[in-house]
Amino acid sequence: MSLPDRTGLSRREYLRAVVAVGGASALSACVAENGETDVPGGTDDPDSLPSRQHAWNDALSTDDDGNVQLPEHHVLLALSLVEDGAPTDEDRETVETSLRTLERAYEWSNEGLVFTIGYTPAYFDRVGSLATETVDLPEPTALTTREDPEPDDFDALLHLASDHAEVVLRAEEALFGDVADVNGVDVDADLSSIFERLDDQRRTGFVGPGLPADHTDTSGVPEEVPEDAPFFMGFRSGFRANQATEDRATITEGPFEGGTTQHVSSMDIQLETWFTQDSHRQRIAKMFSPEHVDEELVGEIGERLSTSSGVTDERIEATAEDARTRGVVGHAQKAARAREDGQPLLLRRDFNTVDGDRPGLHFLSLQREIEEFVRVREAMTGSDLAGNGVGGVLNNGILQYIFVNRRGNYLVPPRSLRALPPGDPA
Amino acid sequence: MNRRRFFHCAGSVAALAAAAGCIGSDGLGGDPDDADDETDDGIDDDRQVTPDLPEIEDPPDAVYVPTHREAMRMLEPIEAGEYTLAPMLSYPHPFWLVDGRETERVDPDGGPAVHLMFSLWDDETGIVLPVDAGAQIRVEQNGQQVGSPRTPWPMISQEMGFHFGDNVPLDGDGTYTVEVTLPPIGVRKTGALEDRFTETETATFEFTYDEDFRQEVIGGIDYLDEEHWGERGAIEPMEHGHGAHGDDEHGDHHGDGDDDHGDHDDHHGDGDDDHGDHDDHHGDGDDDHGDHDDHSDHGHVPYSSLPPAEDYSGTLLGEPETGDATLVISLLEGDTRLTDGTEPYLLVSPRTPYNRVPLADMALSATIDRDGEELATFDLEQTLDDEYDLHYGAETGLDDAELEPGDTVTITVESPPQVSRHRGYETAFLEMPAVEVEIPEEVSE
Ligand code: HEM
């Protein structure tokens, strides 16, 4: 990919586009645009960092209501092992050193960098299967009748996230040995002898108030995307009360205790229908619940909600009845039917994308077991509701607007096992 | 709730001449900016992508005769697994989404676009499949995807009956490829349909969007005699295969709107006679187009017409109307293949008046009372059957009790059909009060 033409783009749009391109030229374009950003440095003491790779919440900033705020820029690097066969201890050391370089270079925060590395079922097939009953890592499959997803069948996925475009770009360069130092820290080891990046699988994205509306030049992104919306579909998401806690998403026993499972699905979003055909009332009913419309709970983009989506036990319980008596059900109310003991099962860290020059979402969620994801996704699909007041997709939450292209399942091991874990770490 | 994103040329015939003046340089009026945007897309500025259709003020809260028959280009039907799909293309035009009991008008935005439709039927039985399983369409031009994928709306129209459709924006003149993905149909299926429609199928077709196309579909609009506009009634189902009215005499209606209305009605042979019998439709809606019931004629695009009431077996409990829909209510006694048990099956088949188009995506429930006391109340499930087609049904749930003459059956419309509407259907089937029928003396076995 070549660098975007600077003319006609806002600063933010340009930086987003540069992140999408990646590589040395992107990094210099970013620095030229912004100047060198003053980014807080990391730590030389690895023990000061959490033992869970996915322990981001305490390190991330919060919004005015106290909800965790994901970093603005995201990159997902698809990695394929260079050598056949099981990795050696030396390989492990190289990977660990390389990842530690990033931790020394950048503060573990929005301002700095947070990241995880997860491994696919294909990886474990290669290095020796997961020999533990405490983790089940199935191959990704189609989860609805409306999709035929490509599986993520490479080996590993690195998720890099920062508020600064320059940081995600430079971190990637450092990991692959394309820069000599990173935020003042020498790069002594890199991943290039171990992993190959699959460029056609490089995924990027952004999340935060105002970012989606910057992309109305992209085909398929209508002018009507609200100015301050953090997500393409126009509403805030990720309220504290509607996310699994990190504890709830963490594996609690066995060799991978402290790890988590990750599901990543990449989808197109049909925003023209959503914004230029549906009314705001319909959008609220389809996203939250019909009662959210009656009670005017949401506002334009969810500004009336604070730390909860307002999907109460009563509104969850009313889902089937809403289908019958209102002819519509909301996505959030439907998905919440899968809560256990009143607790959400998924910790969602999804972000918007314009990869492929069209609007989409990289849906990334963490949960203790992939099977929990599958259950929530079934609740969201709501095939039990189809024919009972709503259609298979018509008025059945937001199904009509999303088109899944890929799915991937990952084990995100605890930090101590993050470098090329064996299938049976005794 | 009617959101109008663009100025509409309010209409009567007298206003049509003035309406011509309301067509902006981009053919839409009201938004000169659009004209600038469009200058380099290969379409000349005078092109008209959307006709300026007259509006009927204050239509009745019932099915009504629109101002015109829509013109469209019919493409060759395509086979896809168990299905055949017939694509149809027209100019982008308003339609109405249903939001509970209200409608939400959708207007085209004036850019290059088509109203893309397809009807879908089962090869084996010829039944048009009036259920939303979430079909998807992807449009490409020269191998490049145009816009995001979309799931077209399930819709009803007087001419096309049940179909899937949407206004689909294009990148200007050119040849487009459309890929349609048809997922399995998930609703309850019975009879010969029971184990059918379980695979995903795809179908691909091409079309060319150009000045010829626009002239054909916009010029082909067949305005009805104004005296019928907004009258209760419906235009007849289109004669498939003769759908595209390419007649040139319609091409100039914008310029001299006044004259071209007096003499239109019988150009197509079906213009007049679909009006003569409007007023008594409620009485005899069954036999005015017997030829559309012939589902199995494969050379033809079938129309989604439900069987007339007398064709349902069991005891016809009544054909009450609500919200201008007719509910054919039948009780199938004893050992019907539609139930597992021995209890009678209550079958409710809601349809539009006149054309008997099935009304999908409703929620219905039934209550049985005897001497003012409730015996049972239960939900009816949307079901697709090879003999009864789309209906809502359930066992009566009386356990050991038997239905007796004089018992009443109340059908409650919990939510009206959520399918989108073409003009003439958007004011009907929204407020639908409960209806009551009685168990007659003689229950036929
Ligand atoms: C374009 C795609 C999507 C959008 C725009 C979207 C948006 C939202 C919004 C606005 C909420 C309510 C606010 C909140 O609770 O944070 C929500 C809740 C939720 N969504 Fe999504 N979502 C999308 C896809 C998905 C997918 C693919 C899943 C996977 C199963 C999912 C699972 C959930 C869950 C579990 C909840 C919380 C339910 C609860 O409160 O227990 N969402 N989503």
Side-chain angles (χ1 to χ4, degrees):
Chain A
M1 253 202 286
S2 53
L3 283 176
D5 181 359
R6 178 68 187 87
T7 48
L9 296 180
S10 72
R11 200 185 125 263
R12 286 202 307 207
E13 267 176 295
Y14 181 63
L15 289 176
R16 198 287 311 161
V18 162
V19 171
V21 173
S25 59
L27 179 56
S28 28
C30 180
V31 172
E33 178 69 21
N34 258 2
E36 290 274 350
T37 320
D38 199 4
V39 180
T43 175
D44 287 333
D45 174 13
D47 291 340
S48 68
L49 291 169
S51 61
R52 300 171 180 171
Q53 288 197 71
H54 60 288
W56 292 12
N57 286 1
D58 285 345
L60 295 181
S61 52
T62 52
D63 66 15
D64 292 343
D65 291 316
N67 299 300
V68 172
Q69 215 166 19
L70 280 181
E72 281 190 17
H73 296 282
H74 295 252
V75 175
L76 296 175
L77 297 177
L79 306 177
S80 174
L81 286 171
V82 174
E83 302 283 344
D84 286 336
T88 61
D89 285 346
E90 201 181 329
D91 295 341
R92 294 201 167 92
E93 207 173 298
T94 306
V95 171
E96 183 58 27
T97 311
S98 174
L99 296 177
R100 279 196 190 173
T101 304
L102 296 183
E103 290 167 348
R104 284 168 42 225
Y106 294 119
E107 185 180 79
W108 186 254
S109 69
N110 295 64
E111 282 292 303
L113 175 76
V114 289
F115 64 91
T116 62
I117 183 166
Y119 296 87
T120 61
Y123 166 85
F124 286 105
D125 279 351
R126 206 189 285 215
V127 305
S129 30
L130 269 175
T132 162
E133 299 198 333
T134 54
V135 181
D136 187 22
L137 190 65
E139 303 276 349
T141 55
L143 296 179
T144 71
T145 57
R146 297 180 66 236
E147 64 185 48
D148 183 17
E150 293 286 327
D152 287 355
D153 53 8
F154 41 84
D155 293 304
L157 190 77
L158 247 163
H159 179 189
L160 304 169
S162 169
D163 277 351
H164 300 294
E166 185 195 324
V167 171
V168 286
L169 288 170
R170 199 180 288 276
E172 182 180 349
E173 292 296 281
L175 286 171
F176 283 88
D178 297 331
V179 287
D181 67 271
V182 47
N183 209 26
V185 172
D186 287 345
V187 176
D188 296 329
D190 70 74
L191 301 176
S192 55
S193 62
I194 315 283
F195 285 124
E196 188 180 15
R197 276 175 288 178
L198 303 178
D199 285 336
D200 58 333
Q201 281 309 313
R202 191 174 176 277
R203 284 173 261 183
T204 64
F206 49 92
V207 61
L211 300 182
D214 272 349
H215 292 282
T216 50
D217 285 348
T218 303
S219 144
V221 183
E223 295 292 334
E224 286 81 355
V225 173
E227 202 60 48
D228 298 323
F231 285 95
F232 267 137
M233 290 188 81
F235 296 109
R236 293 168 75 196
S237 175
F239 297 104
R240 208 175 258 284
N242 306 97
Q243 293 274 44
T245 59
E246 284 175 355
D247 281 350
R248 182 63 188 76
T250 299
I251 296 167
T252 53
E253 41 182 8
F256 290 103
E257 179 188 338
T260 185
T261 71
Q262 171 175 278
H263 181 84
V264 180
S265 46
S266 294
M267 60 197 83
D268 284 310
I269 313 181
Q270 173 51 255
L271 294 174
E272 281 168 338
T273 312
W274 179 248
F275 282 111
T276 71
Q277 299 190 356
D278 283 282
S279 65
H280 191 58
R281 286 167 48 97
Q282 286 175 295
R283 287 193 289 275
I284 291 174
K286 290 178 183 182
M287 187 62 81
F288 296 92
S289 84
E291 215 180 79
H292 279 70
V293 180
D294 305 344
E295 309 281 324
E296 300 184 6
L297 297 177
V298 176
E300 200 205 350
I301 59 160
E303 68 279 7
R304 298 205 187 132
L305 301 165
S306 59
T307 55
S308 158
S309 65
V311 171
T312 57
D313 290 350
E314 293 72 32
R315 294 188 182 117
I316 299 169
E317 207 131 291
T319 308
E321 197 188 323
D322 283 348
R324 292 196 67 87
T325 60
R326 307 295 302 265
V328 60
V329 293
H331 160 72
Q333 118 189 94
K334 239 187 334 168
R337 296 182 301 165
R339 287 183 195 171
E340 240 174 61
D341 303 325
Q343 298 302 311
L345 300 177
L346 311 189
L347 173 51
R348 292 166 284 134
R349 286 180 175 159
D350 49 309
F351 49 90
N352 310 291
T353 185
V354 290
D355 286 350
D357 292 321
R358 50 182 203 258
L361 182 80
H362 295 306
F363 183 88
L364 187 157
S365 86
L366 306 176
Q367 53 282 315
R368 191 168 290 158
E369 297 170 37
I370 292 294
E371 196 268 326
E372 293 171 331
F373 176 80
V374 173
R375 250 161 45 215
V376 178
R377 184 58 233 236
E378 270 166 15
M380 167 177 162
T381 301
S383 44
D384 54 317
L385 305 167
N388 283 299
V390 299
V393 300
L394 180 70
N395 291 0
N396 198 341
I398 55 173
L399 303 178
Q400 188 177 350
Y401 311 91
I402 61 178
F403 301 84
V404 175
N405 300 314
R406 303 194 64 88
R407 291 193 181 277
N409 290 334
Y410 299 88
L411 172 64
V412 178
R415 171 174 269 105
S416 58
L417 287 169
R418 68 182 168 179
L420 304 172
D424 56 346
Chain B
M1 274 316 295
N2 280 357
R3 182 181 48 160
R4 297 191 180 186
R5 300 181 61 240
F6 288 90
F7 169 67
H8 275 269
C9 304
S12 66
V13 172
L16 268 181
C22 109
I23 306 169
S25 57
D26 62 345
L28 220 220
D31 196 344
D33 286 352
D34 264 16
D36 297 342
D37 294 345
E38 241 88 73
T39 46
D40 54 8
D41 66 1
I43 300 181
D44 81 60
D45 276 342
D46 296 332
R47 98 233 182 286
Q48 189 184 11
V49 298
T50 331
D52 53 319
L53 297 163
E55 297 272 330
I56 294 172
E57 277 164 40
D58 250 342
D61 288 335
V63 176
Y64 70 89
V65 179
T67 55
H68 62 284
R69 295 181 74 89
E70 195 177 319
M72 66 196 74
R73 182 177 285 181
M74 310 278 309
L75 305 183
E76 271 304 302
I78 320 159
E79 292 190 10
E82 302 173 84
Y83 309 108
T84 302
L85 171 144
M88 296 166 265
L89 297 162
S90 186
Y91 46 83
H93 58 65
F95 60 89
W96 286 262
L97 309 182
V98 177
D99 171 13
R101 287 170 204 278
E102 290 176 49
T103 53
E104 172 67 25
R105 176 174 167 140
V106 171
D107 282 306
D109 71 2
V114 286
H115 187 75
L116 188 152
M117 300 170 273
F118 61 89
S119 68
L120 180 72
W121 64 93
D122 170 29
D123 279 338
E124 222 158 273
T125 58
I127 289 183
V128 173
L129 299 165
V131 287
D132 159 45
Q136 305 176 14
I137 57 178
R138 288 177 172 77
V139 181
E140 280 190 1
Q141 187 182 30
N142 305 323
Q144 294 284 317
Q145 188 166 319
V146 178
S148 298
R150 57 177 67 219
T151 290
W153 302 97
M155 288 197 187
I156 51 174
S157 102
Q158 295 175 8
E159 284 166 85
M160 273 84 64
F162 183 95
H163 64 282
F164 296 91
D166 202 350
N167 291 337
V168 176
L170 302 174
D171 281 349
D173 282 6
T175 296
Y176 293 86
T177 307
V178 180
E179 186 189 74
V180 184
T181 311
L182 303 164
I185 294 179
V187 302
R188 176 173 181 246
K189 288 164 288 186
T190 52
L193 302 184
E194 190 173 341
D195 301 314
R196 307 275 315 281
F197 320 127
T198 54
E199 301 290 322
T200 296
E201 304 292 351
T202 56
T204 304
F205 62 90
E206 271 191 6
F207 69 90
T208 299
Y209 179 75
D210 58 9
E211 193 52 33
D212 281 354
F213 169 80
R214 290 185 290 275
Q215 286 190 358
E216 174 186 326
V217 295
I218 297 176
I221 295 173
D222 181 13
Y223 286 91
L224 305 172
D225 194 331
E226 196 202 345
E227 73 186 79
H228 296 300
W229 295 3
E231 248 175 31
R232 292 185 66 158
I235 50 179
E236 281 206 12
M238 71 189 284
E239 286 291 334
H240 281 284
H242 316 283
H245 299 299
D247 317 37
D248 276 328
E249 74 263 32
H250 297 293
D252 59 352
H253 63 271
H254 300 293
D256 60 354
D258 275 348
D259 330 310
D260 59 8
H261 283 268
D263 56 1
H264 263 196
D265 290 339
D266 40 17
H267 278 320
H268 304 290
D270 59 2
D272 252 341
D273 29 53
D274 55 23
H275 290 277
D277 52 357
H278 277 157
D279 296 328
D280 54 356
H281 260 146
H282 287 273
D284 69 356
D286 298 326
D287 43 25
D288 51 12
H289 39 78
D291 54 334
H292 291 281
D293 295 327
D294 184 7
H295 284 314
S296 50
D297 177 0
H298 283 248
H300 223 72
V301 175
Y303 183 86
S304 57
S305 198
L306 291 172
E310 58 272 20
D311 287 5
Y312 286 75
S313 51
T315 304
L316 183 66
L317 301 184
E319 304 172 67
E321 279 171 33
T322 178
D324 210 27
T326 303
L327 269 47
V328 170
I329 306 175
S330 182
L331 190 69
L332 279 61
E333 284 290 317
D335 150 44
T336 143
R337 61 182 170 78
L338 289 158
T339 63
D340 301 335
T342 51
E343 292 187 37
Y345 185 73
L346 182 67
L347 180 154
V348 180
S349 169
R351 70 271 309 280
T352 67
Y354 321 113
N355 296 348
R356 302 198 308 272
V357 175
L359 294 173
D361 283 327
M362 301 178 76
L364 300 177
S365 65
T367 307
I368 300 178
D369 291 284
R370 178 173 304 159
D371 305 328
E373 203 183 310
E374 185 179 306
L375 294 185
T377 180
F378 48 94
D379 292 342
L380 301 177
E381 187 173 358
Q382 176 162 274
T383 304
L384 203 52
D385 183 75
D386 59 319
E387 183 182 355
Y388 304 114
D389 208 321
L390 183 92
H391 68 273
Y392 300 76
E395 288 186 32
T396 48
L398 286 180
D399 298 325
D400 293 335
E402 299 263 317
L403 278 171
E404 289 175 12
D407 290 351
T408 59
V409 178
T410 305
I411 305 297
T412 304
V413 179
E414 293 180 61
S415 60
Q418 299 294 306
V419 292
S420 302
R421 322 289 180 80
H422 275 219
R423 217 180 270 273
Y425 276 158
E426 81 279 13
T427 52
F429 328 129
L430 294 170
E431 286 305 329
M432 304 182 78
V435 293
E436 193 182 290
V437 289
E438 201 166 287
I439 305 292
E441 290 296 332
E442 281 294 309
V443 173
S444 66
E445 289 296 316

